[in-house]
């Protein structure tokens, strides 16, 4: 079993506290798989269903060695699920998937909001 | 994690991939617009490229001085490619006549930034048919590095084998084209 398949990733301290306040609530565990087109292997990890989408997104980005950044453009990675780009990264996996789903398959894709420098014209120095 | 991937030492590209890439981008280049192609295969120390995906249509902007592919198109290609164990190994696109086949600032920063990803620039809107005269780059240590011609000869081998696949993709779907 590879490193990314071990354990269950939880949520922030706030959510952990929320769970502690509701000890009788059993949380579902969801196995998440994220593919990234250039990478040879997927990111796979188990999460509790109260985990927000952004946690999966950032964990997958770390796994694949990519990051959001801004230069003259804005580079941001998104998860795509069943053909839809997940703009709302604060929703939980339960909200996205429903209450009983145990697995989910995402794709990591990058959106670049471009600057104004087309090829062969003005090429700014870094 | 990305830094732990086994490096790609060389690429073997089916000759038909080169030909079909040129066939696709050249008419668009002659109309004064840039175009491009995705090269896919298995990521291995010797990476074999026997699949080309031609992004065209919805979600693909082929303009003078700019070729862009929307994230939705990448999503379509990813959903199709991963069950086939295919990775994106190279991105090829044209520069128009009068624009040198070198990566511009935009190319370097808007393209796929993943270790050992190839980037190739075909000059003269696709009319430069000899791949040795293309601009070749590989993404290493966080940036694209130019491959000199000797390195291109050494690390990129053209395979005359006829087994290759050609696909066309947009934001709606992907379909196979005849070879």
């Amino acid at each position: 079993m590879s490193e990314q398949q071990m354990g269950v990733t939880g949520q922030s301290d706030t959510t952990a506290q929320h769970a502690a306040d509701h000890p009788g609530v059993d949380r579902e565990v969801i196995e998440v798989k994220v593919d990234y087109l250039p990478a040879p292997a997927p990111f796979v990890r188990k999460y509790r269903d109260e985990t927000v989408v952004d946690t999966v997104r950032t964990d997958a980005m770390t796994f694949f060695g990519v990051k959001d950044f801004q230069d003259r453009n804005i580079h941001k990675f998104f998860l795509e699920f069943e053909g839809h780009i997940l703009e709302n990264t604060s929703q939980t996996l339960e909200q996205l998937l429903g209450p009983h789903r145990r697995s989910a398959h995402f794709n990591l894709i990058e959106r670049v909001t471009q600057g104004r420098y087309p090829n062969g014209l003005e090429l700014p120095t870094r | 994690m990305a830094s732990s991937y086994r490096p790609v030492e060389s690429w073997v590209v089916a000759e038909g991939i080169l030909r079909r890439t040129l066939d696709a981008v050249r008419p668009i280049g002659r109309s004064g617009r840039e175009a491009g192609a995705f090269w896919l295969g298995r990521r291995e120390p010797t990476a074999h490229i026997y699949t080309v995906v031609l992004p065209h249509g919805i979600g693909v902007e082929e303009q003078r001085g700019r070729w862009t592919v929307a994230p939705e198109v990448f999503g379509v290609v990813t959903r199709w490619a991963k069950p086939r164990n295919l990775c994106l190994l190279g991105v090829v696109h044209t520069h128009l006549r009068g624009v040198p086949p070198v990566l511009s600032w935009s190319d370097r920063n808007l393209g796929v930034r993943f270790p050992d990803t190839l980037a190739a620039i075909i000059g003269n809107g696709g009319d430069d048919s000899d791949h040795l005269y293309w601009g070749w780059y590989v993404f290493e240590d966080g940036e694209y590095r130019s491959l000199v011609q000797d390195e291109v000869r050494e690390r990129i081998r053209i395979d005359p084998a006829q087994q290759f696949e050609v696909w066309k993709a947009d934001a709606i779907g992907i379909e196979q084209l005849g070879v």
Side-chain angles (χ1 to χ4, degrees):
Chain A
M1 178 176 284
S2 60
E3 180 184 357
Q4 71 274 17
Q5 293 173 303
M6 296 173 62
V8 176
T9 297
Q11 187 48 270
S12 66
D13 290 341
T14 302
T15 308
Q17 182 61 48
H18 175 79
D21 292 343
H22 301 80
V25 178
D26 291 331
R27 304 310 312 196
E28 300 279 358
V29 174
I30 298 170
E31 181 165 291
V32 165
K33 176 180 174 184
V34 182
D35 274 317
Y36 180 48
L37 187 56
F43 166 76
V44 180
R45 185 175 289 179
K46 292 177 180 174
Y47 290 90
R48 296 188 182 95
D49 63 359
E50 75 265 35
T51 304
V52 296
V53 166
D54 198 55
T55 299
V56 178
R57 185 186 77 91
T58 53
D59 288 349
M61 289 167 56
T62 300
F63 176 82
F64 291 120
V66 297
K67 58 185 178 182
D68 297 334
F69 67 99
Q70 181 170 359
D71 41 32
R72 291 173 177 84
N73 309 292
I74 298 169
H75 303 247
K76 184 167 183 179
F77 285 85
F78 289 85
L79 293 178
E80 184 206 55
F81 178 67
E82 295 183 344
H84 300 285
I85 293 175
L86 301 180
E87 306 274 1
N88 177 9
T89 58
S90 62
Q91 66 182 323
T92 66
L93 292 174
E94 181 184 31
Q95 290 168 336
L96 174 69
L97 304 170
H100 302 301
R101 191 155 168 170
R102 296 299 181 93
S103 65
H105 186 183
F106 301 95
N107 296 312
L108 185 69
I109 53 179
E110 183 180 11
R111 174 186 289 162
V112 181
T113 305
Q114 282 190 301
R116 53 189 173 89
Y117 301 100
N119 290 334
L121 299 179
E122 183 183 2
L123 300 181
T125 56
R126 304 196 76 173
Chain B
M1 175 64 192
S3 60
S4 67
Y5 292 133
R6 293 172 68 191
V8 178
E9 295 162 3
S10 61
W11 296 264
V12 177
V13 184
E15 191 172 34
I17 296 292
L18 294 180
R19 176 169 49 82
R20 290 304 301 269
T21 297
L22 288 167
D23 288 348
V25 300
R26 189 176 286 141
I28 301 168
R30 288 177 178 170
S31 71
R33 295 173 292 136
E34 294 190 3
F38 294 160
W39 289 0
L40 291 91
R42 305 270 167 84
R43 186 189 165 95
E44 297 168 334
T46 299
H48 290 77
I49 297 173
Y50 289 93
T51 302
V52 59
V53 174
L54 306 169
H56 186 71
I58 299 170
V60 183
E61 290 188 36
E62 295 157 336
Q63 300 176 359
R64 180 175 186 82
R66 179 172 289 176
W67 175 63
T68 59
V69 180
E72 288 80 1
V73 181
F74 278 94
V76 165
V77 176
T78 304
R79 288 197 299 278
W80 166 83
K82 287 304 166 183
R84 294 167 171 79
N85 292 320
L86 294 173
C87 298
L88 179 63
L89 298 175
V91 178
V92 183
H93 79 282
T94 54
H95 279 184
L96 300 181
R97 196 168 299 280
V99 179
V102 297
L103 282 187
S104 68
W105 183 91
S106 296
D107 296 332
R108 289 178 182 275
N109 293 280
L110 301 181
V112 174
R113 299 166 60 83
F114 193 78
D116 299 323
T117 299
L118 277 178
I121 313 295
I122 311 172
N124 288 316
D127 280 334
D128 286 352
S129 56
D130 187 342
H131 73 281
L132 292 176
Y133 291 97
W134 299 359
W136 289 94
Y137 297 79
V138 61
F139 193 79
E140 292 177 345
D141 301 325
E143 62 183 345
Y144 276 100
R145 177 179 68 80
S146 176
L147 299 177
V148 298
Q149 201 168 72
D150 284 348
E151 194 174 7
V152 172
R153 291 181 197 275
E154 182 180 329
R155 298 183 68 188
I156 300 171
R157 185 167 65 82
I158 307 304
D159 182 355
Q162 293 302 305
Q163 296 87 2
F164 62 94
E165 292 187 355
V166 185
W167 296 74
K168 175 188 167 196
D170 63 12
I172 304 300
I174 184 166
E175 63 175 315
Q176 188 167 18
L177 304 177
V179 297

